Structures are given as structure tokens and as C-alpha cells.
Amino acid sequence: MMRRNVLFLLFQRLLLLIVASLVIFATMNLLPGDPASVMLGLDASPESLAALHHQLGLDTALPARYAHWISDLMRGNLGRSYVYDVPVSSLIGERLQSTLPLILLAMVLSLGAGIPLGMIAAAKQGKMPDMGLMAMLQLLKSIPDFWLAMMMTFLFSLTLHWLPASGFPGWSHGFFTGLRALILPAVALAVPQAAITARFMRSSLIETLSQDFVRTARAQGYSRSGVLWRIALPNALIPVLTLAGIQLPVLITGSIIVESVFSLPGCGKLLLEAVNQRDLPVVQNLVMLIVTAVMTLGFLLAALVRFLDPRLGEERP
Amino acid sequence: MNMRANPTLWTGSALLGIVLLPAFVTALITGAHAPAINVMHRYAPLSLSHPLGTDPFGRDLLTFVLSGAFNSVLIAAMAVCFSTVIGTVLGLIAAGRPPRLIMGLTDLGLAFPPVLIAALLVTALGASATGEILAVALFGLPAQIRITRQAARSVLIQDYIAASRLAGRSPVFIMRRHVLPNILPLLTVQATSSLALAILSDAGLSYLGLGAPPPRPDLGRALAAYQIHIFDHPFLVVVPGLTIMLLVLGFNMAGDGLRDALDAPLEERAP
Amino acid sequence: MNPLLQVRNLSVHSPLQPILHALSFTLEPGKILAIIGESGSGKSTLALSLMGLLPSGFQPQGEVRLNDKNLLTLTEPQWCQIRGKTFGMVFQEPMSALNPTRRIGAQIEDTLRLHTALTRHEIRTQTHTLMEQVGLLQSGVSEHSYPHQLSGGQRQRALLAMALACRPDLLIADEFTTALDARTRADVMALVHQHTAMHRMAVLMISHDLGLVRHHADNVLVLKDGICVEQGPTASIFDAPAHPYTQALLAMSLHSAAHTPLTRLPVYTVPA
């Protein structure tokens, strides 16, 4: 039963990935507007246009172009940057060094702060600490992450000189030097998400604690704290995992913006540069790569949730 | 409806009023265009004629920020309108069908956050307000479909729907007459909360230069331009950011308050 | 015979209103006492106050003696030792009373793990025996099954196995047969009788189902608005009800379909 479930999920994700690739391909190739003329500007000569058409493969038929792109992708060939004239994969690989740790750190911070805060609020439900915390979370949830990033730079870098204001020295200067550069961006990214996680955790835990099976466990002899930690918490965390899956693309989006604030040489910066320079192969492949990563992680999380809550996918309409 | 004893709704509405009323007035007077550039008045301090001073181009900061707020809300409102109308129709159509297609659509939508859609559109077509609205709206669409579908299903299982069906009413009639009025409170709450998200997305996109192009003033774009002045003129960064935050907080609180007032339970959700 | 449970002048107040008024009764080992009455008469509150699981804000007063120990003065850790070990409880909602994310075996094992010093292996073996005793294994349910894979009757058996695991002196059963069909109900009641006969377990049975009460209970207590209007041996209550309320209750059950509950009881939640 379980296995069939996960297989269905896998099949669904593969299908979605194909749809996603079609969407990306269509936007980049079917929309009115010739990418080559956009790249070269309005006063480009017909010869250079034709040359670029050929170089981008724009003079072949659409289905052939799509098939070519997909087969290249399958072989790990992400094309060549038009601007830098290097393989896109090497560009991305370089940039992942800061982007991946940034997103990971933000995720850890968001869950690490959000879950305990939500638990505290749930434990004090309806009392002053809960109300104060909820008001604070409402506020934090509403802060634009890039603005928070700027304000934190102002306070912690420019005024207090605790952490670097921008840039990323890379990991070659030691782990902590690299980490120091990522702390502010990661916190800025994590704060609104942590607020959302905390509010979600609170309602999930309150809901779980009101369930009949919690009373059953108490009747079995579980203590108050025992029932909280061993019975209610694991169940309340399952929806939070699903939420984490939703937050992941949000964090990736946020990382693009925050990288821009802190001038981090990450994938987000690469994407923006590519958009500004109309570097078609980089945009198309990077977007496809991000979508693939989100879908893969989403699949793993969904499979984990189904493993933890075996009801899902069986009974639900 | 219990509107009176609802501090969340009132606070949210008040926050929105503080920003939106002057913003609308400004838009009426200036058409929400950027104030004139005046090189003689760069970085003017706070004064009666410039209550918040002027920016690096000598423009009145208050007028600029209020026009920007108006434009942000306008773009967010158009995006939410788009996703609400299309999402509700699709959600109602999906209400009678198995969930797999909707699940797939939701997952697909999740993988395309506004920045990615905007990046694709801007690369292919160049920056435009339409592209920005589309990017924000498309991201909100799957959630709208899912929520509408869920709400519609809870109405469709009621006995009077079965009676109405037996009486030979068409599905369209049932949807319009019975389902839509019943899920309207939920849709209102959802739209209000979506506005908060849309404003955040809009600010992010224009900060990155993927939003509506100049000359219309925009808060996100202003932040990108003023960022370098954070140390010498922090006010330039604080004011636009605070304005965005007030708008988002206002719509968030109004949404929460409406949810309590209209008794339309809606899960906590992520942007 | 020495009574197992002695309740004297038990009153329970909720923050808004009194729920139970000066209730007194005794229960002897091996006997079944049925509490009957309409919804809202305080039956479930009585069960929860005996378990020390009243919602926060509910105040019990009076005396509940179990083997000469006053339960109302127990501290929370002392309660935890009694719940599940000396007292077993089965609730009315078999669908939601089991944890959907844990396997049946693990949930039954919990009772043993909390109250005995048995090794893991011994707990496994005992759980297996329990599941066989309540007829779960025979109906194709294994330790590895999840609650959603079970029928209503199977879930109720699993709950019964959890409640009976430590051979409690008292089983509190709150409407636990309501959701079952007649056949399953008879099977489950037979199981309960086995334990009353073999281990001299006493049962406090809360039920709307007067047919079931008449058939299984030794004594009956009639509750109306938190007040005991009448109590006595089952036969005398059913044959010669003294109080007009009891007469009305019995008449109603004769006229209506006797096996359907009047209304569903409110579900109380336990603060953790």
C-alpha cells in the first residue's frame, strides 16, 4: 500500500517535471519577441541576428529544439552561457557554494526557532505570553525579508561592526569566515518564515492536544509532559513538515533577493545577471534546475509525511 | 457577524487607513506619478514643505512613498483579483472531481514562485507591469483553487444540495445559488490575506528590477535605489520599508480579524 | 464484601455551573454498575472525574475512595500511576480515540511499558497474547496495523486491549459500544464479562443503551441533571422504577428503537 503510494507520488512528480519543462521552454521560446533581438538590442544588424539565431539553435524547429534541450539536460549538459561563454553548469556549481549553505541555514533557523516558539505559545494558549508572542509573530511575518536584511546590516554591520555587511569570502578562508558572512542573510531570510512556522506550529499543537487519542493516552497513564512530548508533538510536527515543503521555494525566492542585498555571489545573483543580460541559456537552465530541486525535495518531504502519517493518500478523498 | 469586539480587524483596518487614505488622496492629486526631480533640493531635511525630506533626486519623499504605496496596492489588487476570479471558477469546476489533478497543479504552482515566473517573463518580454501582475497572480492561483475546492466540497455534501439536484437544478445553478454565497466569506478572508502576500511579492520583484519598470514610483524599486544611502540617510530606507510593512501587517491583521468575524476557518498558510 | 470503589458526596463544578451534585455510590469487585441518563446529565463528567482527567477549571469535591485511598487528594504523578494500571478507561469515539500515526501494537504496548518493569520482549509477547484475547489477531489485525485499517469494532477491541493490559481493578466504559453493530457489541461485552469473572474486575458502564444495561449490569444508577434520582439492582430498577424520571426514560426506550442513542454526548477534551 505504502509502496504504491510513493510510486504514485514519484510518477506524479515526473509528470509535473515534464509539464514544468514545457512551461519554461514555452515561455522562453514561444512568446512574441525574439530573444536574439532582445539580447542584441534594437539596432542589431540582420547578419548578427542570424548568427545568434544559429548559435542559440533558434533556426531549428521547436519540437526538435525541445528534444535537444531535454536530452542535453538528461546528460547533465546545461548549455553554454552566451555572455560568459562557459558551461552553465560550471557557473552554477561555483555559485552553489554560498546559495546552498544559505538556504540550509535559513531553513534550520526557521524550524529551530519557529517550532519551540509555537510550542510555548500553545502551552500558554490564551494567556499573556501567548498573546504577546502571537502579536510579535504577526509583526515579524509582515516584514519584507530584504528590508529586514538592510536594517540588520545597518545595525549589526555598519553600527556595531559585528558581522560583515556584504560579500562572501568563500570557504577557502576557513569555515567560520564563510559562516560569518552568511549569518545576517540567513537570519533575514529565516525571520518571517520562522514567524509563519511558529504560528502554524501553535495551531497544529493546540489542535492535536484536543484530539481524543491524547485523552486515551492520558487514560493509559501518560503524564502531562509525556503526552506532550511523546504523543502530541510527533503528530503536530507532521503538518509542519508539509509547511516546510511549501516554505522551501519561498526561501529560494527569498535567497535571490537577500543575495542581492548582501552582494553574495550566489545563484540568485547569477539569475538576475542573466536576466539583465538576456543570457537565455543560463535563465532557462537555472530556472529548470531550481524547479527540479524544489520538486525533488517536495517529493522527498511528501514521501516522508506519508511514511509518518499512513492515513494520507489512502482514505482522503 | 461579530464585528464590534474584534480588535484585530480594527487594528488592521486602522493600519491600512493610515497608509491607504493619504495614498489615495495623493494619487488623486498627482495621478500617482513620481514627483518632479529637483536637483537643488537633494537630501532636504524634514520641513513643512517636505514632511519627510527629499530623496537623492530632490523629490519629496512623502509624496514619493505614498504614490509608491498606491501603485503597490494597485498591482497587488489586480493580481489578487485575477487569481481570485480564475481560481474560484477553476476551484468550483474541480469541486466535483478527484483531487489528483488539483494536487498536481498545486505542486506545480509551488515550484514556480513569482521571482522565477518574472525572471522567465522579463527575459522573454522585458519588464512590464502586466508581467509582474501575472507572476504574482499565477503563484497565488493554485492555493486559491485548492481552498475554493475544499470549501465548495463541504457545501456540496449538505442535504439541501442533494434535494436541489433531485429537483433537476443544473450544476451551474447549484454553484451560483448555493455554493458561491456560502463560500463568499471564506473567499473574502482569503483575498484579504492574499493581498498581504501579493504586496510582499510585488515589493521583492520590483526590488530585483523584475517588476513594473519606471517611471511609476514603486516602494521596492525605491529601496533598491536608496540602499546605498543607508548609512548617511537611513531615513530613505526606513520609510519605504516601514510603509510596505504597515500595508502587509494591515492586510494580514484585517484578514485574521475577518476570519474571526465571519467565522470562516482558514488554515495558517505560508506565502 | 469490601467495596472496591466508594464515592461519597461527589460534586463537580465547572467554571460556569455545577455539573454533579452530591453523588454517592459503591462498586464491588467483579460487579457491573451502569450509569444511565440523558445527554448532559453529567455521566461523562463523572467518568472523567473518577479518572482525574477533568478539564481545567472543573472542581471536584467530596470523596472518592479506592481501596480506602482518597483519589481526590492524589497528586498528578500519583494519578499517572493509577491510570491505566488500576483503572482502565474506554471512550465513546473509537474512530478518533486511537493515534492515527502509530501502529496498534505500539499503542497497546504503551500501557504495559508505563506500568510494568517487563523487558521489551516480554511486553511484545504479552501484547500479542492480549491481541489474541480480544480477538484482534483472529480478525486479521496484526501489531503492525494502523488504526485507519481497522473497522469500528476492531478499534474498540484495540482500545479494550489497551485498557485491560494491566488487568485493572476497575474499567470505566463511556458509551463504548454505541458505535458498534449488535453482533460486535455482544462479542465485546462477552470479553468484558470474561474479565469480571476471571480477574474480579469491576466495571462502571455509561450507556444510553438500556437494552444493553438490562442485560449486562448488576446495578443501575439513574442520573438527571447531575443528581442521582434512583439507584439499585438492575432488575428492581427495570421492573419497578420508583422515580417518574426513570419511568419516563424506560418508557422512551421501549417506544423508540432501543439501540440508538438519544443524542451524541459532548466530547470533553483533556488539558495536557
Side-chain angles (χ1 to χ4, degrees):
Chain A
M1 197 89 88
M2 182 71 210
R3 200 163 296 143
R4 221 178 55 209
N5 235 320
V6 172
L7 273 179
F8 166 74
L9 265 183
L10 193 64
F11 176 71
Q12 185 215 31
R13 291 290 156 143
L14 276 177
L15 215 64
L16 284 178
L17 219 48
I18 294 171
V19 175
S21 73
L22 281 169
V23 169
I24 294 171
F25 184 79
T27 331
M28 300 300 281
N29 293 278
L30 291 180
L31 286 173
D34 176 7
S37 64
V38 177
M39 279 183 193
L40 293 176
L42 288 172
D43 43 331
S45 67
E47 294 84 49
S48 55
L49 265 179
L52 185 57
H53 270 188
H54 183 71
Q55 193 188 338
L56 295 175
L58 294 178
D59 50 355
T60 49
L62 275 176
R65 237 190 287 161
Y66 177 74
H68 194 71
W69 178 47
I70 294 294
S71 75
D72 271 355
L73 273 182
M74 298 281 214
R75 279 180 279 124
N77 179 3
L78 301 181
R80 236 181 144 70
S81 160
Y82 172 69
V83 174
Y84 297 105
D85 201 27
V86 291
V88 175
S89 49
S90 74
L91 275 178
I92 294 176
E94 208 175 284
R95 306 299 183 107
L96 276 179
Q97 284 189 25
S98 63
T99 299
L100 221 52
L102 173 63
I103 292 171
L104 208 68
L105 193 58
M107 196 60 156
V108 169
L109 285 174
S110 157
L111 293 176
I115 290 172
L117 283 177
M119 287 178 64
I120 293 171
K124 305 273 176 197
Q125 188 197 349
K127 295 183 189 141
M128 271 316 283
D130 174 36
M131 277 144 75
L133 204 58
M134 286 300 282
M136 195 187 80
L137 294 174
Q138 177 77 274
L139 196 74
L140 293 179
K141 192 180 129 183
S142 308
I143 299 183
D145 41 16
F146 61 98
W147 183 63
L148 180 66
M150 289 178 205
M151 299 323 278
M152 286 198 320
T153 334
F154 181 66
L155 182 64
F156 295 111
S157 311
L158 300 176
T159 311
L160 297 171
H161 301 290
W162 286 355
L163 293 161
S166 70
F168 179 65
W171 299 105
S172 54
H173 297 280
F175 177 71
F176 284 104
T177 323
L179 193 66
R180 264 168 61 88
L182 293 183
I183 287 179
L184 278 187
V187 171
L189 253 185
V191 164
Q193 300 311 313
I196 291 167
T197 307
R199 287 168 63 92
F200 194 82
M201 181 69 209
R202 172 185 179 270
S203 54
S204 176
L205 191 55
I206 288 174
E207 221 248 356
T208 310
L209 282 173
S210 72
Q211 300 275 320
D212 286 342
F213 64 78
V214 170
R215 188 178 54 180
T216 309
R218 290 278 278 146
Q220 266 180 301
Y222 269 104
S223 64
R224 260 170 230 266
S225 62
V227 93
L228 175 69
W229 290 101
R230 309 258 316 260
I231 305 289
L233 191 60
N235 280 44
L237 279 175
I238 294 173
V240 176
L241 269 183
T242 309
L243 177 79
I246 298 174
Q247 282 178 317
L248 192 77
V250 180
L251 281 177
I252 292 178
T253 313
S255 80
I256 296 174
I257 304 182
V258 167
E259 275 176 11
S260 183
V261 177
F262 287 94
S263 314
L264 294 178
C267 285
K269 206 90 173 52
L270 178 67
L271 181 68
L272 283 179
E273 285 164 8
V275 170
N276 286 330
Q277 295 160 335
R278 315 287 168 209
D279 198 342
L280 210 81
V282 175
V283 175
Q284 183 168 335
N285 286 297
L286 189 52
V287 170
M288 188 64 209
L289 205 67
I290 294 176
V291 169
T292 311
V294 170
M295 290 226 178
T296 311
L297 285 167
F299 161 72
L300 291 177
L301 270 177
L304 182 65
V305 165
R306 268 161 208 241
F307 172 73
L308 293 174
D309 191 346
R311 280 171 308 174
L312 296 176
E314 286 195 19
E315 277 188 325
R316 296 269 173 95
Chain B
M1 264 208 301
N2 181 14
M3 287 290 201
R4 222 164 271 156
N6 196 329
T8 320
L9 182 59
W10 283 120
T11 318
S13 311
L15 289 176
L16 287 176
I18 290 173
V19 182
L20 285 182
L21 280 181
F24 279 121
V25 173
T26 313
L28 271 179
I29 298 168
T30 68
H33 292 299
I37 290 175
N38 185 346
V39 203
M40 302 306 289
H41 273 98
R42 299 171 67 204
Y43 308 114
L46 314 193
S47 66
L48 266 182
S49 52
H50 299 297
L52 293 179
T54 59
D55 75 351
F57 305 99
R59 294 177 296 198
D60 179 57
L61 188 61
L62 183 65
T63 319
F64 188 84
V65 163
L66 287 176
S67 306
F70 178 80
N71 285 331
S72 289
V73 172
L74 196 66
I75 283 188
M78 287 202 267
V80 169
C81 262
F82 181 92
S83 60
T84 301
V85 172
I86 309 261
T88 304
V89 171
L90 290 179
L92 289 178
I93 293 173
R97 289 168 174 70
R100 296 201 162 165
L101 194 67
I102 303 304
M103 268 165 52
L105 204 63
T106 309
D107 293 337
L108 188 67
L110 273 177
F112 280 101
V115 170
L116 290 193
I117 303 178
L120 290 173
L121 288 177
V122 171
T123 314
L125 295 170
S128 69
T130 325
E132 182 180 14
I133 293 170
L134 203 62
V136 176
L138 283 179
F139 185 59
L141 198 55
Q144 184 68 39
I145 297 176
R146 193 171 45 84
I147 286 166
T148 310
R149 177 178 179 273
Q150 236 167 23
R153 283 179 77 87
S154 68
V155 179
L156 283 175
I157 54 167
Q158 305 290 330
D159 287 340
Y160 66 88
I161 299 288
S164 189
R165 257 194 208 124
L166 284 175
R169 298 296 197 183
S170 74
V172 176
F173 178 88
I174 291 175
M175 287 295 175
R176 228 183 39 216
R177 192 60 173 279
H178 297 305
V179 178
L180 207 52
N182 268 302
I183 64 172
L184 213 55
L186 185 89
L187 295 181
T188 315
V189 173
Q190 168 68 13
T192 315
S193 311
S194 299
L195 270 173
L197 275 182
I199 288 174
L200 271 180
S201 303
D202 160 71
L205 287 180
S206 22
Y207 173 78
L208 292 176
L210 300 174
R216 283 200 159 256
D218 186 287
L219 295 176
R221 197 148 22 76
L223 279 172
Y226 300 156
Q227 191 187 346
I228 45 165
H229 300 290
I230 187 159
F231 205 53
D232 40 339
H233 296 93
F235 218 53
L236 287 175
V237 176
V238 173
V239 173
L242 213 56
T243 312
I244 299 173
M245 196 180 103
L246 282 181
L247 283 173
V248 176
L249 186 63
F251 280 118
N252 268 335
M253 291 185 80
D256 282 7
L258 274 179
R259 174 177 57 195
D260 297 342
L262 301 172
D263 195 25
L266 190 70
E267 66 214 75
E268 285 282 337
R269 61 182 270 246
Chain C
M1 193 189 290
N2 262 341
L4 170 77
L5 185 75
Q6 229 175 339
V7 175
R8 254 184 253 145
N9 283 324
L10 175 68
S11 300
V12 176
H13 293 266
S14 82
L16 298 174
Q17 71 212 42
I19 308 268
L20 293 177
H21 297 276
L23 224 55
S24 297
F25 61 88
T26 57
L27 183 52
E28 283 159 14
K31 297 286 185 200
I32 298 181
L33 169 69
I35 313 280
I36 61 174
E38 289 170 307
S39 299
S41 58
K43 303 189 305 277
S44 286
T45 306
L46 173 62
L48 290 176
S49 63
L50 292 183
M51 292 294 282
L53 286 178
L54 285 171
S56 66
F58 280 57
Q59 276 303 319
Q61 282 165 0
E63 212 179 65
V64 178
R65 285 194 170 277
L66 177 83
N67 297 329
D68 288 328
K69 198 166 19 166
N70 190 356
L71 296 181
L72 295 187
T73 60
L74 290 186
T75 61
E76 184 56 31
Q78 287 171 319
W79 263 120
C80 288
Q81 285 172 7
I82 290 184
R83 284 188 212 118
K85 189 174 188 210
T86 320
F87 284 180
M89 184 158 183
V90 218
F91 295 99
Q92 58 185 340
E93 301 285 342
M95 294 301 165
S96 53
L98 286 165
N99 189 338
T101 65
R102 298 182 66 215
R103 298 176 194 277
I104 294 294
Q107 297 193 45
I108 300 175
E109 281 173 23
D110 270 356
T111 314
L112 294 166
R113 204 177 306 129
L114 286 163
H115 297 292
T116 62
L118 298 176
T119 64
R120 255 179 111 136
H121 181 74
E122 288 167 331
I123 288 179
R124 288 249 167 90
T125 337
Q126 275 212 24
T127 302
H128 194 81
T129 322
L130 267 166
M131 288 181 70
E132 195 170 16
Q133 277 175 5
V134 298
L136 277 176
L137 294 179
Q138 295 86 323
S139 64
V141 176
S142 87
E143 286 94 332
H144 302 294
S145 305
Y146 281 103
H148 72 271
Q149 296 165 328
L150 274 56
S151 68
Q154 288 168 335
R155 287 179 215 201
Q156 206 53 274
R157 285 166 198 263
L159 282 167
L160 207 54
M162 287 160 74
L164 298 178
C166 290
R167 289 204 185 143
D169 297 332
L170 173 66
L171 179 74
I172 298 173
D174 185 357
E175 293 283 355
F176 84 124
T177 56
T178 307
L180 305 181
D181 60 71
R183 172 68 200 280
T184 323
R185 191 179 309 150
D187 287 351
V188 172
M189 280 315 293
L191 249 164
V192 172
H193 274 296
Q194 238 176 28
H195 273 258
T196 54
M198 279 164 60
H199 310 303
R200 305 198 21 85
M201 177 181 78
V203 180
L204 187 95
M205 179 169 107
I206 289 170
S207 188
H208 273 112
D209 183 346
L210 296 185
L212 189 85
V213 169
R214 179 170 209 169
H215 200 248
H216 295 286
D218 299 301
N219 292 293
V220 177
L221 188 152
V222 186
L223 212 55
K224 181 184 189 298
D225 300 330
I227 298 166
C228 165
V229 295
E230 191 170 2
Q231 63 175 314
T234 308
S236 67
I237 297 269
F238 272 82
D239 294 339
H243 196 275
Y245 177 72
T246 317
Q247 290 163 3
L249 208 62
L250 291 179
M252 226 152 62
S253 88
L254 285 178
H255 292 306
S256 65
H259 292 295
T260 52
L262 305 177
T263 44
R264 277 159 59 107
L265 281 172
V267 181
Y268 292 98
T269 56
V270 180

